[in-house]
Amino acid sequence: MRKLLSLIFIFSVLACKSKVNIPEGKQEEVLEVPSESTPEILILSLRINSKDSVKIINTLTNVGRLRGNLDTPLDYIEEDLRVSFLSKDGNVCAQKIIPNPLMKRYEYAAGDSLNILTSKSEEVEQAEFYVRIQWDECFELVSVDKFYSGEWRNLNLLQLDKPKIQ
């Protein structure tokens, strides 16, 4: 019985051995360099204020593919934002609809009962929001538009440089 357990232990240890042989003295962290076919996710952080001034706070990319439905929803309401990713010549490569980031919804317990929640919406002076989207080489510009009085009005057109992978 001991011999059988010893054999199982030895095989399990051998099965866990790394298949990448790194010469001794060269045991630093091995990083994979993404090829052009490796999908990347762009995360774009933006700030908007009550005067409709929009600016980019931070951008980063990471290796990966977004899951789920990537289509832009067709429903939007007054003061929602549309973030469009454009090519150099102004063609739309991708779009995302963002619910009004200046409208914050709060839920809290009403009175002494923790079973009853009350919600309240309040407009704030400024807000930060982000957009996650699958990176495309055609992304050169970012256009931020606001839906107001039945039409989209441009708030800002921003230059987008591809950030390094984080």
Side-chain angles (χ1 to χ4, degrees):
M1 185 66 167
R2 278 191 163 178
K3 287 182 183 180
L4 180 62
L5 289 174
S6 298
L7 283 174
I8 291 173
F9 177 73
I10 290 172
F11 283 121
S12 65
V13 168
L14 291 176
C16 294
K17 183 181 176 194
S18 173
K19 294 186 180 192
V20 177
N21 292 324
I22 300 174
E24 283 195 33
K26 299 278 185 182
Q27 301 204 359
E28 300 99 27
E29 185 178 337
V30 177
L31 298 176
E32 286 188 33
V33 178
S35 68
E36 292 194 23
S37 63
T38 302
E40 296 175 31
I41 299 170
L42 171 68
I43 302 171
L44 181 67
S45 298
L46 300 126
R47 179 178 293 137
I48 186 170
N49 65 23
S50 59
K51 296 178 182 177
D52 290 339
S53 173
V54 179
K55 66 179 185 177
I56 295 176
I57 299 171
N58 192 16
T59 57
L60 64 95
T61 56
N62 206 341
V63 176
R65 182 166 305 282
L66 287 174
R67 295 183 187 186
N69 189 2
L70 301 179
D71 296 331
T72 300
L74 299 176
D75 54 333
Y76 42 85
I77 59 172
E78 196 76 11
E79 298 190 7
D80 281 353
L81 300 180
R82 177 177 66 187
V83 180
S84 302
F85 296 87
L86 311 171
S87 64
K88 269 186 187 176
D89 54 356
N91 292 328
V92 177
C93 303
Q95 289 182 336
K96 289 282 186 175
I97 303 293
I98 308 295
N100 182 1
L102 293 173
M103 189 60 67
K104 297 295 179 184
R105 182 176 174 193
Y106 303 99
E107 290 187 353
Y108 55 93
D112 293 335
S113 174
L114 295 178
N115 296 335
I116 301 172
L117 288 179
T118 303
S119 66
K120 164 175 121 173
S121 293
E122 188 175 297
E123 193 163 354
V124 295
E125 287 295 314
Q126 75 173 6
E128 294 180 7
F129 63 99
Y130 69 94
V131 178
R132 289 177 52 219
I133 193 163
Q134 201 68 50
W135 173 258
D136 191 324
E137 290 299 324
C138 92
F139 295 173
E140 297 283 336
L141 302 167
V142 176
S143 175
V144 181
D145 307 308
K146 187 174 195 175
F147 191 69
Y148 186 72
S149 297
E151 63 182 38
W152 290 104
R153 294 187 183 173
N154 185 264
L155 301 180
N156 207 347
L157 185 63
L158 306 159
Q159 180 70 35
L160 178 65
D161 298 320
K162 183 180 180 189
K164 294 181 180 179
I165 294 179
Q166 301 276 323

